[in-house]
Amino acid sequence: MRHIIALLLENEPGALSRVAGLFSARGYNIESLSVAPTEDPSVSRMTITTTGSEAILEQITKQLNKLVDVVKLLELTEGAHVERAMMLIKVRATGAGREEIKRLSDIFRGRIVDVTNSTYIIEVTGTDDKLDAFITAIDRKLIMEVVRSGAIGVGRGEKALRV
Amino acid sequence: MELSGAQIIMQFLEDEGVEFIFGYPGGAVLHIYDEIYRRDKIKHILVRHEQGATHMADGYARATGKPGVVLVTSGPGATNAVTGIATAHMDSIPMVVLTGQVPTPAIGSDAFQEVDCIGITRPCVKHNFLVKDVHDLASTLKKAFYVASSGRPGPVVVDIPKDVTLPDVKIPYEYPANITMRSYNPVSRGHTGQMKKALDLILSAKRPMVYTGGGVILDGASEELREFTRILGFPITNTLMGLGAYPGTDEQFVGMLGMHGTYEANMAMHNCDVLIGIGARFDDRVVGDVKQFCPGAKIVHIDIDPSSISKTVKVDVPIVGPVKSVLRDMIAMLKETNSRPDADSLAAWWRQVREWQSIDCLHYEWSDERIKPQYVVQKLYEATGGDAFVTSDVGQHQMWAAQFYPFDKPNRWINSGGLGTMGFGLPAAMGVQFAFPEAQVACVTGEGSIVMCIQELSTAKQYNLPIKVINLNNGYLGMVRQWQEFIYEKRESHSYLDSLPDFAKLAESFGHVGMRIDKPSDVDSALKEAFAMKDRLVFMDFVTDPSENVFPMMMAGKGQTDMLLPAFCKERELA
């Protein structure tokens, strides 16, 4: 099962390494991790995508909560939420293929953000599934570079994860 | 009051009520040592190796319940302390370790005696701090003591760069009496609904079992545990870390459980219908194979640490909270209700438990020729009136001490249960003796373990610590040899310790009294003679039977009832 965990972390040096270290020391999977400051300069918000059974997820959330630098934690996949990741993908775009890739990018609501004679850089946002689907849709041979941000997410409705 | 960083550290430690600092000087902490030189309120104990300092602070903490304090320099000072920090971490012992660090501008430049102390210690501390600004020093130290000693306790490292302690940079200081941390709020009470649920289950039990660990001792909940268990009349077992929480000589006590626990404790665990785990963590040395653990039992688990709950064994009624407060609440609930577990079922259960007890699983064969290690521990119990602080190292001697010295009081049995650190016993005993100068302190050790921190005999001389070292010397890494005998067809790969020193002479060279005892008939008199020397450290080198094994033995990864027993009991078990 895939889970997305959102954390508010004290903005202390080394806080990121405590989280990363916990995952490696206890052998938990980490699919992606995305972290940046928030409007409150004292905390960073981190989003972790992980896989594991319910029992493992329970341990992950408990162990994370135990870290002194973790202020709050929410498992987003437990409820309704909005989830986004961003991808920049550089593809070879020549001849007739140029038009084909442009059309595909439109279908995925991507944006071409850089153009040369022979390449495009396309920006796509969405769930990880959607980004996967875009990669699958493009001819493998044309892909030059893929950069993905890792998922971020917010729970829907009134409730908010904040200090 | 305007103070320098070094002065703030010392003033803070005084204000915090610290009695001892176990430490070793070096370049990065010299400003602090200069301040120690000017003060005399806190006693600084100069060790011989930083590992010794951490174990002493740890022993002090285990015996007193107060956090132990360590001061070491950067680089090798810090790395030498790591084993002791990890030892304290595995057993949840409150400790504050101050490590020197190279000056902030030099951090990351591979400076002399620089290591990334925060990075190295991160996985084996409850928390650690790097203080980059002298203005943060006092509040960080307060946080360190608060985190170390609250909730599930543990070691906290504070890494202090040398420039933060500069003598001529002075700032105002006020003792931070209180501190709040928004990201750290240990639970203070158990959940009433969960406690009620647990009580219903407990009162419905027909074959109940109480299983308690180090958490009861850490929270000072021994009295509550006694009352709770006596009201219910249930059989009780303690883990290696929990010995003494319930009196070892009490009728309801069925001995330690686990890998070298008693037959009756492990059988009762396996066959119980309601298991009440208190301040214990269902560790692999207790559980064995998770799939075969307590197959017919509903499990109640009381623990301060939510992550301990259902970590290895899934439990039915978890109660997160300090065991002392939870037990108090549950005792009150028990007193309010007239309902009690079914007396007939409980009586039948006790008959079964007594039957298991009757096989006498700790039996060993007497010998007139060779000293049996178990006998030495039994005689130690007699010589000390059962009232000593006993520390141990790790191996066979540790298990025999746990099996043959019943502890009636908490905080008396001090050993490295989680990490299993050889070298722990002697310095830990010293930490205990510093805390209780008048008490009888014995270190039960083996010739393998004792040499791992033998240098601290020098510290013991400097501070005149009258510890009694009981060296069960069988010339082998006994537990390793035992596994090799049972699991590796007696291939004794590197478990024989050749070229051992003459321990009696070695102790004498450090200025202590040394004895070598090789006849069973001399054991008793030697112990009495040693304990009569109230102001001397006596190193007793007992030459013991090398073929002796620790029984019972639950094989690693197997079920709880899968125990190897001495030949004597096997016949009885079949009968």
Side-chain angles (χ1 to χ4, degrees):
Chain A
M1 248 296 264
R2 176 173 175 271
H3 307 275
I4 303 177
I5 301 166
L7 313 174
L8 291 178
L9 272 182
E10 292 288 359
N11 210 351
E12 298 279 346
L16 171 63
S17 70
R18 288 181 210 280
V19 174
L22 171 70
F23 274 75
S24 66
R26 295 196 180 263
Y28 303 142
N29 295 319
I30 193 158
E31 282 200 343
S32 73
L33 185 154
S34 140
V35 59
T38 65
E39 90 292 358
D40 174 352
S42 70
V43 290
S44 298
R45 178 150 170 158
M46 179 184 281
T47 315
I48 300 169
T49 347
T50 180
T51 52
S53 64
E54 283 304 315
I56 288 170
L57 180 76
E58 186 182 327
Q59 267 301 308
I60 292 176
T61 55
K62 283 171 167 179
Q63 294 291 350
L64 284 169
N65 262 316
K66 205 163 127 179
L67 293 177
V68 170
D69 284 337
V70 171
V71 187
K72 274 193 179 158
L73 179 152
L74 180 70
E75 198 219 327
L76 291 174
T77 28
E78 234 178 20
H81 66 282
V82 176
E83 169 190 340
R84 291 287 180 275
M86 182 191 272
M87 171 165 69
L88 293 174
I89 178 165
K90 188 190 281 183
V91 291
R92 191 149 309 281
T94 47
R98 276 175 94 82
E99 195 43 37
E100 171 62 21
I101 289 169
K102 168 81 173 67
R103 265 201 305 277
L104 201 60
S105 162
D106 288 344
I107 294 168
F108 279 84
R109 296 185 207 290
R111 296 197 305 149
I112 295 173
V113 292
D114 182 68
V115 180
T116 68
N117 289 343
S118 54
T119 65
Y120 286 152
I121 296 175
I122 309 163
E123 173 194 314
V124 192
T125 57
T127 62
D128 278 324
D129 283 351
K130 177 180 159 186
L131 304 188
D132 289 344
F134 186 70
I135 292 174
T136 322
I138 289 209
D139 183 354
R140 257 268 136 87
K141 292 195 292 291
L142 298 179
I143 298 176
M144 298 168 70
E145 225 177 313
V146 173
V147 196
R148 291 172 71 159
S149 66
I152 57 169
V154 184
R156 287 186 188 272
E158 270 296 315
K159 270 198 178 165
L161 180 67
R162 51 182 303 135
V163 178
Chain B
M1 197 165 25
E2 299 250 312
L3 299 179
S4 72
Q7 288 172 325
I8 287 174
I9 293 169
M10 292 311 296
Q11 188 59 47
F12 173 86
L13 294 177
E14 286 178 17
D15 293 343
E16 187 68 22
V18 171
E19 298 173 283
F20 296 100
I21 297 173
F22 302 93
Y24 202 91
V29 287
L30 282 179
H31 296 321
I32 306 173
Y33 270 86
D34 195 47
E35 194 51 34
I36 291 176
Y37 186 81
R38 295 160 199 267
R39 295 174 184 244
D40 56 6
K41 212 164 168 188
I42 299 178
K43 198 160 179 205
H44 178 273
I45 308 302
L46 177 66
V47 300
R48 299 297 180 268
H49 186 292
E50 289 87 351
Q51 183 184 351
T54 49
H55 292 330
M56 277 179 222
D58 182 322
Y60 170 87
R62 289 181 202 235
T64 62
K66 291 186 264 187
V69 179
V70 175
L71 173 60
V72 296
T73 194
S74 63
T79 54
N80 278 348
V82 168
T83 299
I85 295 168
T87 303
H89 185 242
M90 283 293 268
D91 290 342
S92 308
I93 305 304
M95 197 151 96
V96 174
V97 181
L98 311 178
T99 55
Q101 183 53 279
V102 300
T104 41
I107 289 179
S109 70
D110 300 323
F112 177 64
Q113 292 196 325
E114 179 185 2
V115 292
D116 173 12
C117 177
I118 293 297
I120 287 175
T121 58
R122 198 197 61 232
C124 63
V125 292
K126 184 168 171 188
H127 195 57
N128 57 18
F129 297 95
L130 171 64
V131 185
K132 280 191 167 165
D133 183 339
V134 66
H135 292 90
D136 298 333
L137 194 49
S139 63
T140 305
L141 289 168
K142 184 68 196 178
K143 282 181 193 169
F145 275 83
Y146 172 55
V147 170
S149 50
S150 58
R152 177 177 180 176
V156 175
V157 166
V158 185
D159 200 28
I160 306 171
K162 190 168 186 181
D163 54 329
V164 172
T165 61
L166 281 174
D168 36 353
V169 180
K170 297 201 173 183
I171 61 155
Y173 165 81
E174 199 182 333
Y175 173 64
N178 289 303
I179 203 116
T180 52
M181 294 171 72
R182 63 178 176 183
S183 59
Y184 175 73
N185 298 294
V187 193
S188 60
R189 288 289 297 273
H191 185 275
T192 315
Q194 287 297 94
M195 289 192 278
K196 280 193 180 131
K197 241 198 222 171
L199 203 65
D200 287 344
L201 189 58
I202 289 167
L203 292 172
S204 73
K206 292 189 165 59
R207 298 185 312 278
M209 185 69 182
V210 182
Y211 143 63
T212 83
V216 176
I217 294 171
L218 291 166
D219 202 26
S222 194
E223 280 308 316
E224 288 78 5
L225 176 67
R226 285 159 202 229
E227 192 178 356
F228 177 77
T229 310
R230 280 176 186 149
I231 293 175
L232 290 166
F234 291 174
I236 176 168
T237 179
N238 292 160
T239 67
L240 179 67
M241 291 308 300
L243 293 173
Y246 192 85
T249 54
D250 189 272
E251 284 274 282
Q252 280 170 251
F253 186 66
V254 297
M256 179 173 80
L257 82 165
M259 184 169 275
H260 295 294
T262 64
Y263 179 72
E264 48 272 29
N266 287 333
M267 291 302 280
M269 288 288 291
H270 187 79
N271 289 286
C272 72
D273 71 340
V274 173
L275 179 67
I276 308 154
I278 309 174
R281 59 188 178 92
F282 296 80
D283 148 274
D284 57 283
R285 285 301 196 258
V286 157
V287 169
D289 178 14
V290 175
K291 286 189 226 73
Q292 298 178 54
F293 180 75
C294 296
K298 293 269 182 208
I299 305 176
V300 175
H301 188 191
I302 307 170
D303 205 287
I304 182 85
D305 178 2
S307 72
S308 273
I309 288 170
S310 296
K311 183 171 69 178
T312 52
V313 172
K314 183 123 184 64
V315 302
D316 301 283
V317 186
I319 303 173
V320 177
V323 292
K324 193 182 180 84
S325 126
V326 171
L327 283 174
R328 274 190 184 164
D329 289 344
M330 291 188 62
I331 290 166
M333 289 176 182
L334 266 175
K335 285 179 174 168
E336 274 168 26
T337 170
N338 292 325
S339 170
R340 285 291 177 268
D342 179 52
D344 291 342
S345 308
L346 190 56
W349 175 233
W350 267 115
R351 276 195 297 280
Q352 173 65 70
V353 172
R354 296 295 179 219
E355 205 171 297
W356 287 323
Q357 268 175 333
S358 72
I359 77 158
D360 190 15
C361 69
L362 296 180
H363 177 88
Y364 63 92
E365 297 296 332
W366 170 257
S367 159
D368 289 329
E369 312 296 318
R370 288 186 142 163
I371 297 177
K372 293 290 177 171
Q374 300 95 326
Y375 175 70
V376 178
V377 178
Q378 286 177 319
K379 287 290 153 188
L380 170 67
Y381 179 81
E382 287 171 21
T384 55
D387 200 32
F389 288 89
V390 178
T391 72
S392 88
D393 275 295
V394 172
Q396 286 184 318
H397 68 267
Q398 177 190 25
M399 294 302 123
W400 285 317
Q403 290 175 335
F404 290 90
Y405 197 111
F407 293 90
D408 281 341
K409 293 178 186 163
N411 307 88
R412 292 293 170 114
W413 164 239
I414 286 159
N415 81 128
S416 166
L419 196 66
T421 308
M422 291 168 73
F424 174 81
L426 174 63
M430 293 166 63
V432 176
Q433 192 82 75
F434 278 117
F436 300 105
E438 304 299 322
Q440 304 183 90
V441 182
C443 165
V444 177
T445 182
E447 79 292 336
S449 287
I450 190 68
V451 293
M452 286 211 186
C453 263
I454 194 94
Q455 75 286 345
E456 299 309 327
L457 282 176
S458 171
T459 312
K461 180 63 188 168
Q462 184 176 345
Y463 297 97
N464 292 316
L465 301 174
I467 293 159
K468 305 297 178 271
V469 179
I470 318 293
N471 190 35
L472 301 179
N473 183 350
N474 57 8
Y476 276 97
L477 300 177
M479 192 58 91
V480 172
R481 188 204 53 70
Q482 178 169 339
W483 281 52
Q484 288 171 338
E485 179 182 331
F486 293 149
I487 305 167
Y488 299 91
E489 298 167 321
K490 299 193 179 178
R491 286 187 298 277
E492 292 171 355
S493 180
H494 296 267
S495 52
Y496 177 67
L497 289 176
D498 217 341
S499 308
L500 285 166
D502 178 331
F503 283 104
K505 278 193 188 148
L506 181 66
E508 280 163 14
S509 78
F510 278 102
H512 303 301
V513 180
M515 291 181 178
R516 184 177 169 86
I517 305 102
D518 54 12
K519 283 195 213 52
S521 54
D522 293 340
V523 170
D524 195 30
S525 53
L527 281 163
K528 283 185 178 135
E529 191 189 334
F531 277 93
M533 286 185 253
K534 297 226 178 286
D535 55 350
R536 299 298 299 273
L537 185 150
V538 184
F539 192 112
M540 278 167 280
D541 188 25
F542 290 95
V543 182
T544 62
D545 185 349
S547 67
E548 202 57 38
N549 287 320
V550 182
F551 290 114
M553 181 177 180
M554 203 169 108
M555 302 307 276
K558 297 225 172 142
Q560 282 179 301
T561 54
D562 209 342
M563 282 173 275
L564 290 181
L565 294 167
F568 166 85
C569 304
K570 272 186 215 144
E571 290 158 24
R572 294 179 134 213
E573 194 193 10
L574 292 176

